[in-house]
Amino acid sequence: MYRFIISAAFFFATPVLSQEVTVMSGGNILTMDENFTIAEALAFSGNEIIAVGSDEEVMEAAGAGTQVVDLAGKTVMPGFIDAHTHPIGGGGSSVFENVGIDRFSTIEEALAYMKTAAEGKTADDWVLFVNLDLSTQAFSEPALTREHLDEVAPDAPAVVWQAGGHKMTVNSKMLEVMGVADDTPDPDGAEYGRFEDGRPDGNLSGGALLMKAVAEIEPYQNYDRVSGTIAIAKDWASKGVTAVGVAGVSSVADWETFVSLAADDGFPIRTRNYLRWENLEAWDDAEVSPGTGDNMARVIGWKISADGSNQAFTGLQREPYLNSDNLGLAYMIQNDINFAVADGTVRGGQMAMHGNGNASIDNIIAAVEKARSEGIEVVRPRIEHCSITEDDQIAKLKELDITCSFLIAHVLYWGEAFRDTVFGEEKALKLDRTGSFERAGVAYSLHTDYSVSVLSPLQMVEAAVTRTLFTDPDYVLGANERASIEMALRAITSVPAFQLLSDEEIGSLEVGKLADIVILSDDPRSVRADAISEISILETWMDGERTY
């Protein structure tokens, strides 16, 4: 069980190692240990923390000839951890041009721009756009279909990857490239949108269809995964991030990319990786399994997806979406979830289980409970996004020691859409219930789901403690669901370390752990809640080396 306690504690130190010692002193060190200990100084030798305590205690433990970093009153925290990202797939989306709400307030405006951008494109070209959002960008028509994109690009294959990543709209040319005919059936766990006469309308929902489309998109497949991931990692380091969860790794080639990056001394991010369950045969053939890797890049478990996304109306719900009879889309049936949880655990892995709608969360909880009832000890199960939770589910999560990870940008960027378009206010108040989870003692982390959102860790903390909306700043989406600052800080440090099976290595500044450190201009506890994101990242250290 993960426990979080906030209280006073003592300082500690260990003998100095033979390597050169660096001391950071004269500051405010939030260790993020179990007791939320506040120290004045810490020391590390090589990549290992060897002392934490008062300035005097740490200097005495470090001995003569140490390198001293004068913090001058600044605040130090453990390196931040983003619990759920897609650095390779998300980076690949850079070959798509953004047409989201930050550029166009309506779908009509976006379509007009896309048509201009696609002028002169032929069958040998690609027309690729991303982040169009039918839940936040106004549209005068009932649906976006291939007919709209046929007007944008009559000759070239066109793809619009909608915001949230769980739905695409493509034109007729792209359907042709994919080999989709009028009578093509839906694959398991996915579906083609269809016109009234049954013909595919160009909308693709579900992982199987998205992967089918992505496999045909040449610019995406030719994207330089190594240089792209390095650029993303350097940006993360500038935001104080030293480790990320990768949810999940799609192919053996992608895993090999992380291995090669980990061997590069200049790569500034640790990765903890979940293998996509649907590619099990490839993992077996390549002999890649949980435990493979080292403290820079390690496989820790399996990723499954029980449903889609709420803003794409494919999250699986107990009750229909607002003003509709749509219950969303089950990517996996209950028996398949049960099998994955049981077999994935027996194979030695942790389960990271995507669930957005409350019905999909029911299914995940049921699978964990069933496995436990059969004597299978499911290891630190976690629900990804866990967007809409009911009171009975929170109680069940507590009972079964299931933790969750919230895509807090759902509140910040999509809160108004969930309130007004997707669910209605009553159900929208059940979104990312950080306050209720904290009161119930259910641990949670915060994540970006990069590239679904690109918030910094401190922006995520601010979103969790304020719950104000980007599109309606005076509105608070559930004041009683605001996180405490202490828990929100744990949600980007010690909790994700626990979830990523790495709490013996990272997530807090304690003796024996790795020297992953971020230096901040201010203490997040001492500034206004709405100013947390304005705190500057002064330095980031990973493995005892400065990376930013």
Side-chain angles (χ1 to χ4, degrees):
M1 177 184 296
Y2 184 87
R3 297 180 296 157
F4 46 90
I5 304 171
I6 301 172
S7 64
F10 57 86
F11 301 124
F12 33 79
T14 63
V16 176
L17 304 180
S18 59
Q19 294 174 286
E20 180 180 282
V21 176
T22 298
V23 171
M24 293 182 173
S25 66
N28 182 40
I29 297 179
L30 310 186
T31 66
M32 305 309 299
D33 66 3
E34 186 177 53
N35 297 309
F36 213 98
T37 303
I38 311 301
E40 293 177 335
L42 65 81
F44 55 89
S45 177
N47 69 348
E48 182 180 345
I49 297 172
I50 62 167
V52 183
S54 68
D55 288 333
E56 182 178 351
E57 290 170 325
V58 171
M59 289 301 296
E60 181 179 351
T66 62
Q67 175 187 349
V68 178
V69 177
D70 182 5
L71 296 172
K74 302 298 187 295
T75 294
V76 170
M77 289 186 64
F80 297 146
I81 305 170
D82 189 335
H84 180 126
T85 68
H86 303 274
I88 291 181
S93 68
S94 63
V95 303
F96 294 71
E97 184 177 359
N98 174 36
V99 289
I101 186 65
D102 56 332
R103 293 190 67 192
F104 305 104
S105 60
T106 70
I107 301 296
E108 285 87 353
E109 290 173 353
L111 286 170
Y113 173 80
M114 287 189 278
K115 185 173 183 178
T116 299
E119 285 181 1
K121 299 291 186 182
T122 71
D124 294 327
D125 299 312
W126 289 89
V127 177
L128 306 174
F129 298 100
V130 71
N131 287 337
L132 199 73
D133 192 345
L134 291 164
S135 68
T136 62
Q137 291 169 283
F139 194 31
S140 61
E141 300 186 42
L144 180 73
T145 71
R146 62 172 168 166
E147 291 178 345
H148 296 97
L149 297 190
D150 288 346
E151 292 186 16
V152 166
D155 301 316
V159 179
V160 174
W161 203 334
Q162 293 189 24
H166 284 266
K167 190 171 185 177
M168 286 179 176
T169 306
V170 304
N171 69 351
S172 298
K173 187 66 176 179
M174 183 61 185
L175 289 177
E176 179 184 324
V177 170
M178 294 172 63
V180 178
D182 289 350
D183 59 352
T184 299
D186 294 340
D188 291 340
E191 63 184 21
Y192 295 100
R194 297 186 185 273
F195 295 116
E196 290 184 2
D197 62 6
R199 292 178 300 120
D201 68 2
N203 283 295
L204 314 177
S205 298
L209 287 181
L210 299 186
M211 292 304 100
K212 181 180 176 68
V214 162
E216 301 291 345
I217 301 172
E218 293 174 6
Y220 185 89
Q221 294 302 323
N222 294 334
Y223 165 75
D224 186 340
R225 282 153 168 72
V226 172
S227 63
T229 304
I230 290 172
I232 292 165
K234 287 181 177 179
D235 179 63
W236 281 338
S238 74
K239 297 173 180 176
V241 177
T242 55
V244 299
V246 180
V249 184
S250 297
S251 67
V252 174
D254 284 356
W255 166 243
E256 290 173 347
T257 297
F258 288 120
V259 172
S260 67
L261 290 170
D264 183 342
D265 290 339
F267 190 66
I269 298 290
R270 304 182 194 279
T271 63
R272 299 294 181 264
N273 299 271
Y274 296 97
L275 307 177
R276 292 185 68 93
W277 179 256
E278 61 267 31
N279 295 335
L280 186 59
E281 184 177 349
W283 302 123
D284 285 347
D285 289 345
E287 299 183 347
V288 177
S289 61
T292 304
D294 55 24
N295 68 23
M296 281 299 298
R298 184 184 304 134
V299 176
I300 59 172
W302 308 99
K303 165 72 180 304
I304 65 172
S305 294
D307 67 347
S309 74
N310 296 326
Q311 61 267 38
F313 302 92
T314 55
L316 190 65
Q317 309 297 333
R318 290 179 177 180
E319 54 284 307
Y321 285 92
L322 186 66
N323 300 324
S324 79
D325 58 1
N326 174 28
L327 290 171
L329 179 62
Y331 282 14
M332 302 173 71
I333 62 173
Q334 185 69 60
N335 284 345
D336 288 345
I337 300 173
N338 294 347
F339 177 78
V341 170
D343 192 49
T345 301
V346 169
R347 285 170 171 270
Q350 180 198 24
M351 300 306 298
M353 301 164 286
H354 165 119
N356 268 310
N358 49 17
S360 72
I361 293 169
D362 282 336
N363 294 344
I364 291 169
I365 290 172
V368 173
E369 190 166 34
K370 184 176 189 300
R372 292 251 175 89
S373 73
E374 295 172 351
I376 299 171
E377 186 49 46
V378 185
V379 179
R380 297 189 188 182
R382 50 179 283 191
I383 300 180
E384 308 306 297
H385 314 318
C386 206
S387 302
I388 297 294
T389 48
E390 308 293 341
D391 290 345
D392 64 295
Q393 293 175 322
I394 295 175
K396 204 69 177 177
L397 296 173
K398 173 67 174 177
E399 175 189 336
L400 295 172
D401 285 338
I402 300 173
T403 66
C404 292
S405 190
F406 293 127
L407 171 54
I408 199 65
H410 277 150
V411 173
L412 181 63
Y413 290 137
W414 284 283
E416 182 179 25
F418 286 158
R419 181 192 69 192
D420 299 344
T421 306
V422 179
F423 293 130
E425 185 170 36
E426 181 179 356
K427 187 170 179 178
L429 293 174
K430 299 174 182 178
L431 178 66
D432 292 355
R433 299 178 65 182
T434 52
S436 291
F437 273 57
E438 185 171 354
R439 289 188 291 274
V442 178
Y444 65 85
S445 61
L446 302 174
H447 68 261
T448 60
D449 199 13
Y450 178 89
S451 62
V452 174
S453 76
V454 292
L455 299 177
S456 72
L458 291 178
Q459 286 175 316
M460 292 195 290
V461 168
E462 181 176 312
V465 300
T466 63
R467 293 185 68 89
T468 55
L469 311 184
F470 178 77
T471 53
D472 189 359
D474 294 328
Y475 181 85
V476 175
L477 189 66
N480 66 328
E481 297 297 351
R482 286 170 164 162
S484 71
I485 182 61
E486 291 84 1
M487 187 58 219
L489 292 175
R490 290 193 181 280
I492 59 169
T493 53
S494 57
V495 175
F498 173 86
Q499 291 178 324
L500 297 172
L501 309 185
S502 298
D503 47 315
E504 296 299 317
E505 299 171 303
I506 57 176
S508 62
L509 300 175
E510 299 181 76
V511 170
K513 292 194 176 183
L514 297 170
D516 292 3
I517 297 162
V518 60
I519 303 177
L520 310 176
S521 61
D522 298 280
D523 185 338
R525 302 170 306 155
S526 66
V527 302
R528 297 190 329 270
D530 63 356
I532 294 170
S533 63
E534 298 173 14
I535 295 173
S536 297
I537 305 297
L538 302 179
E539 297 181 24
T540 304
W541 294 62
M542 195 272 294
D543 230 26
E545 298 289 338
R546 185 173 173 178
T547 59
Y548 172 76

